[in-house]
Each structure stands twice: as structure tokens, then as C-alpha cells.
Amino acid sequence: MSPTNLPSTWTHQLGATGGTGPIQIRLSKELIVSLKSIGRMRQWRRGQTVVHYGEAVSHISICLSGQFSVLLNSIDGHSQLLRYMVEGELFGIPSAFARAPFPTALVCVTDGSTLDIPKAAFEERLRRDPDFAFALIQNLSSRVSELFSLMEADLLPSLRARVYQALRRLAMHHGRTKQPHDLSLNLSQGDIASAVHASRQKVHAELKRMERDGLLQLGYRSITLHKRFFEE
């Protein structure tokens, strides 16, 4: 099934560059409404931790509203920003079904809500809806691809290469078309520093060099990626 033929219970978003890359698959509003009868809604405030790294999770959850940062724990104990979770996105599937520790931390950035669905109820829905199950496989496959890309980026020798790969990864999830061939990211330089696990000062200097090279434009809590950025 191609991305353009996903079942109506799912929405999709191709990589921001329009090319290949992880597919961001989200539950449709109609499906979320149908799942609310078997789930429990939870409200979150800014700064609250939704799930801790390594926590055992026995349910599957859906992001309903707000903004949540997905953070990886580095070997030295610092948090590294992977991306921000979007409305309609699922989380907790590997932990609930494989009894694996939650691989990241999930922290509320702006007030929002989630829907927790018991594993048994979620599993029953999957058995009754093959299209739903198939799309879920695609979703999990994109997560695996994303993590391998992150591992590869961490091995890059230069800060510029790591910043470049982080911007591409974040653009796939959060890029918004500003004008033909330009993408806007509503992220701060601090977010990028967290994403590449480097100091804000060094990342700022690298971003300024990329700006002088015509790859991007820096704004207040925003970064615009130009066409030339994707041709690097």
C-alpha cells in the first residue's frame, strides 16, 4: 500500500523535502473519537513528565493536543531532543506489546492531553481492522528508520554534519512550507543544540555559518531552510 493509499482511518505526512524518508502516520480524528470509548483521557501541564525513560508501560497512548518533547538519554546522562510529538500520534506500542522499557522520555512542553488505551482493547481493535494493523506496521517501520538515522548522525565527524542531519530530521516532522522550496521550522536554536547534543554557543556559530552560505535564515525561535539546504 503506497502512502497515498493509506486507509481513511489514518492521515500521513511525507518527508518535508517531498522525497524519501520516514513517513509520519497519525490517527485520523474519526478514529480517535471511536477509541475514546475504550480509553482514559489524561491532562498534562507544561513541565510534567508523561513517561520516564526506562519506564514499564502496559497501555498504548495517543497524543490528543498540546506539545510533547521526545527525549533520548545520552551516555553522560544528558537529554537529547529527538523531535516533538504531534497530534494523533501513537506511543507506547513496543513497551506494551514487547514488555520493553520505554526507550525515551516524553515531557509536556505546552499543556495538552493524551488518551490511554488498555493493551487488550487495542489488540482487539487491531484484530478486527486489518487496514489499521497494516498502517500500524508502516508507522513502526518509520520509527525504526528514524532511530537508525539518528544513530548514523551521531557518528558524523563534524558539528556541521550533525546540525545538518538534525535539521533534516526535524524538518520531516515539523517543517511547514513558507514559500516555494522553503521550509519553516518553529524551533529555537536551543532545540537544535539539544538535538545534536552540543553547546548552544557552538550550534549558534555553526547555524550562522550556514546562514552566510545561503542554506537557511535564522529568525526569532524559527529557522527557514532554503532550497539550497536540501541540495547539499
Side-chain angles (χ1 to χ4, degrees):
M1 182 181 298
S2 68
T4 55
N5 293 319
L6 288 175
S8 59
T9 51
W10 293 77
T11 58
H12 71 278
Q13 180 177 329
L14 290 174
T17 62
T20 59
I23 299 172
Q24 182 180 339
I25 306 176
R26 299 172 289 176
L27 296 178
S28 67
K29 292 182 179 179
E30 292 78 13
L31 180 58
I32 291 174
V33 170
S34 71
L35 291 173
K36 284 183 178 180
S37 62
I38 60 173
R40 178 171 70 98
M41 190 178 297
R42 302 179 68 185
Q43 301 294 330
W44 301 96
R45 298 293 184 185
R46 179 181 178 182
Q48 286 186 300
T49 300
V50 179
V51 187
H52 292 274
Y53 172 79
E55 184 177 338
V57 176
S58 59
H59 55 265
I60 293 87
S61 301
I62 306 170
C63 175
L64 298 180
S65 63
Q67 189 177 53
F68 301 86
S69 57
V70 183
L71 303 171
L72 292 172
N73 276 16
S74 62
I75 194 170
D76 58 3
H78 290 85
S79 295
Q80 182 177 359
L81 176 67
L82 179 59
R83 58 184 173 81
Y84 289 100
M85 188 163 288
V86 299
E87 180 182 342
E89 189 172 350
L90 287 161
F91 62 93
I93 297 171
S95 300
F97 280 91
R99 298 182 181 178
F102 205 82
T104 63
L106 193 64
V107 178
C108 182
V109 178
T110 59
D111 294 358
S113 59
T114 58
L115 181 69
D116 293 345
I117 304 172
K119 175 190 171 185
F122 191 85
E123 185 174 347
E124 176 59 25
R125 181 60 184 258
L126 288 175
R127 293 181 185 277
R128 291 189 289 107
D129 191 342
D131 283 343
F132 180 32
F134 187 81
L136 184 59
I137 292 172
Q138 289 186 307
N139 179 262
L140 292 175
S141 298
S142 74
R143 299 284 183 84
V144 172
S145 175
E146 179 183 57
L147 289 176
F148 274 113
S149 296
L150 182 68
M151 292 168 61
E152 182 182 6
D154 284 342
L155 297 175
L156 294 172
S158 69
L159 178 60
R160 184 185 181 98
R162 285 157 48 206
V163 169
Y164 177 79
Q165 288 297 330
L167 288 171
R168 284 189 67 96
R169 184 180 76 247
L170 292 168
M172 287 183 179
H173 294 281
H174 307 296
R176 297 290 180 269
T177 302
K178 187 174 183 180
Q179 52 184 304
H181 309 299
D182 282 1
L183 286 179
S184 177
L185 287 171
N186 291 325
L187 299 173
S188 69
Q189 295 183 40
D191 290 330
I192 307 304
S194 176
V196 300
H197 193 45
S199 72
R200 188 170 180 174
Q201 292 78 8
K202 289 183 178 179
V203 170
H204 172 73
E206 194 57 62
L207 288 171
K208 291 298 290 184
R209 280 192 284 270
M210 295 173 79
E211 185 176 43
R212 288 193 296 270
D213 291 341
L215 302 181
L216 53 81
Q217 180 179 348
L218 300 175
Y220 176 70
R221 292 191 61 84
S222 69
I223 301 173
T224 299
L225 306 179
H226 298 316
K227 179 182 178 181
R228 186 176 173 185
F229 174 88
F230 299 105
E231 296 173 345
E232 279 281 294

